[in-house]
């Protein structure tokens, strides 16, 4: 793969010139507030790292943390409200990633990747570097990880943990994959990594970002969340359309898109100014900004 980084605008990709950045803004009911410098105490239960089943939009996986307990991995059926535990023998996982072939990748805090079948069978460790983080499927039988060595790289593996390729460019903290591209949020704009040529394209945000989580919701369409709101963006245009409010007291992260439901699954974080405490919940948001909360016991 090439090792050079190409910082160019979308006009070189789609032939579109980007005029001055702009966005449409929704009326906000979310107000920034002052918090302590330390991250406040969490509620006793947290359900995080949620992701849709690529083959069944009525199912999601998530990691559950309860006070004083090891993290657990669950499957939740949105329709029948069934909650199913996948046995992971007390692995200290922080992220799970559901693939098209039924394998779920498990990211451990020690920097290794495990896998488990969606029916709970086949649990096995597939990387042993202690440096592989934030796995992302990039096909039915391959995924990439952030390899945190002396020189940060992206490494592509097959489902047996055999290294297939390396990339000099890439996201830090995850991204969203579609048709040979990974999109992720940079400091100043959308960044798109083209895997075939290991090149990076940067597209300015239509509004100043305060952190960014991004998911493809179409071939050239994305949904982005930050501390100012949730936006829809057609990458061939120069305009962010705000569909939902956000602020430092209520924001949304870790998106997972279901084309069947036409919804993005987010983790909502709410900070209460009076008690300076934090609560989490999982919500579904469609491209019009309509929100539906998932009440999982």
């Amino acid at each position: 793969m090439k090792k050079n980084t190409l910082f160019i605008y979308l006009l070189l990709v789609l032939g579109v010139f980007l005029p001055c950045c702009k966005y449409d803004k929704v009326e906000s009911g979310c107000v920034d507030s002052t918090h302590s410098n330390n991250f406040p105490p969490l509620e006793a239960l947290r359900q995080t790292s949620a992701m849709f089943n690529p083959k069944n939009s009525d199912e999601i996986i998530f990691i559950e943390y309860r006070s004083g307990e090891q993290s657990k991995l669950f499957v939740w059926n949105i329709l029948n409200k069934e909650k199913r535990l996948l046995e992971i023998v007390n692995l200290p996982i922080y992220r799970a990633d559901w693939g098209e072939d039924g394998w779920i990748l498990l990211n451990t805090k020690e920097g290794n990747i495990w896998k488990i079948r969606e029916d709970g069978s086949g649990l096995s460790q597939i990387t042993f570097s202690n440096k592989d983080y934030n796995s992302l499927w990039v096909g039915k039988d391959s995924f990439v990880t952030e390899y945190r060595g002396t020189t940060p790289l992206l490494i592509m593996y097959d489902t047996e943990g055999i290294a297939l390729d390396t990339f000099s460019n890439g996201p830090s903290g995850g991204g969203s994959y579609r048709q040979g591209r990974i999109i992720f949020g940079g400091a100043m704009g959308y960044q798109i990594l083209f895997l075939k040529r290991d090149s990076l394209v940067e597209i300015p945000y239509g509004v100043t970002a305060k952190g960014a989580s991004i998911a493809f919701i179409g071939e050239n369409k994305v949904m982005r969340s930050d501390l100012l709101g949730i936006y829809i963006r057609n990458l061939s245009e120069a305009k962010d359309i705000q569909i939902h409010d956000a602020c430092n007291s209520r924001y949304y992260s870790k998106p997972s898109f279901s084309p069947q439901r036409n919804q993005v699954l987010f983790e909502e974080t709410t900070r209460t100014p009076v008690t300076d405490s934090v609560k989490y919940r999982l919500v579904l948001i469609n491209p019009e900004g309509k929100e539906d909360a998932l009440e999982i016991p």
Side-chain angles (χ1 to χ4, degrees), residues 4-289:
N4 61 308
T5 302
L6 304 177
F7 287 95
I8 56 178
Y9 293 122
L10 190 59
L11 62 95
L12 298 181
V13 181
L14 299 174
V16 176
F17 181 78
L18 295 179
C20 180
C21 297
K22 54 186 177 178
Y23 71 106
D24 288 337
K25 187 175 182 180
V26 301
E27 290 299 322
S28 177
C30 191
V31 180
D32 285 338
S33 59
T34 301
H35 303 289
S36 67
N37 292 328
N38 297 323
F39 202 77
L42 310 181
E43 61 181 5
L45 171 65
R46 181 183 181 186
Q47 293 157 339
T48 184
S49 190
M51 175 170 287
F52 280 109
N53 180 344
K55 299 179 297 183
N56 180 359
S57 60
D58 293 329
E59 285 189 335
I60 66 170
I61 52 170
F62 63 89
I63 298 171
E64 182 173 282
Y65 298 91
R66 290 183 182 271
S67 181
E69 297 181 7
Q70 182 66 53
S71 58
K72 296 179 180 179
L73 181 67
F74 286 96
V75 177
W76 169 258
N77 189 291
I78 297 172
L79 292 183
N80 63 27
K81 314 299 183 185
E82 179 183 87
K83 185 179 179 182
R84 176 165 54 92
L85 175 68
L86 296 182
E87 182 56 60
I88 57 173
V89 295
N90 292 324
L91 282 177
I93 62 173
Y94 70 91
R95 176 183 169 91
D97 192 10
W98 204 332
E100 295 180 17
D101 261 4
W103 283 110
I104 298 171
L105 300 176
L106 307 175
N107 293 238
T108 69
K109 296 177 181 178
E110 289 83 3
N112 293 309
I113 309 299
W114 292 59
K115 66 179 181 179
I116 190 172
R117 296 291 303 182
E118 58 193 21
D119 63 3
S121 65
L123 179 68
S124 57
Q125 184 175 353
I126 54 176
T127 74
F128 299 83
S129 69
N130 296 327
K131 297 178 181 179
D132 286 299
Y133 294 88
N134 297 322
S135 64
L136 176 67
W137 288 104
V138 293
K140 288 186 177 181
D141 54 6
S142 59
F143 63 94
V144 296
T145 68
E146 295 173 22
Y147 184 82
R148 298 179 183 174
T150 304
T151 302
L153 297 169
L154 282 189
I155 298 184
M156 181 185 292
Y157 294 98
D158 68 12
T159 53
E160 299 303 317
I162 297 173
L164 304 175
D165 210 340
T166 61
F167 307 89
S168 57
N169 304 293
S172 175
S176 179
Y177 173 79
R178 187 177 180 91
Q179 297 178 336
R181 302 163 294 164
I182 300 174
I183 192 167
F184 55 100
M188 301 301 294
Y190 303 92
Q191 294 192 322
I192 305 175
L193 170 64
F194 290 80
L195 294 176
K196 188 174 181 179
R197 61 177 185 264
D198 191 12
S199 64
L200 198 65
V201 171
E202 184 173 75
I203 306 169
Y205 296 128
V207 60
T208 302
K210 296 182 178 180
S213 299
I214 303 171
F216 275 114
I217 62 171
E219 182 176 354
N220 284 303
K221 195 172 184 180
V222 297
M223 187 180 291
R224 172 172 67 89
S225 63
D226 59 32
L227 294 185
L228 297 175
I230 300 177
Y231 308 87
I232 295 292
R233 173 71 171 264
N234 188 323
L235 297 177
S236 64
E237 300 174 357
K239 189 175 184 179
D240 286 341
I241 300 173
Q242 188 176 4
I243 62 169
H244 198 285
D245 62 359
C247 57
N248 72 352
S249 294
R250 188 184 73 239
Y251 52 90
Y252 303 83
S253 59
K254 301 174 182 160
S256 172
F257 177 63
S258 167
Q260 295 82 16
R261 301 180 71 93
N262 196 30
Q263 290 177 312
V264 175
L265 176 63
F266 281 103
E267 178 181 313
E268 179 192 74
T269 302
T270 303
R271 301 183 68 171
T272 304
V274 176
T275 60
D276 204 15
S277 61
V278 172
K279 291 187 177 181
Y280 299 95
R281 66 174 183 168
L282 300 178
V283 298
L284 298 170
I285 296 180
N286 68 15
E288 286 72 48

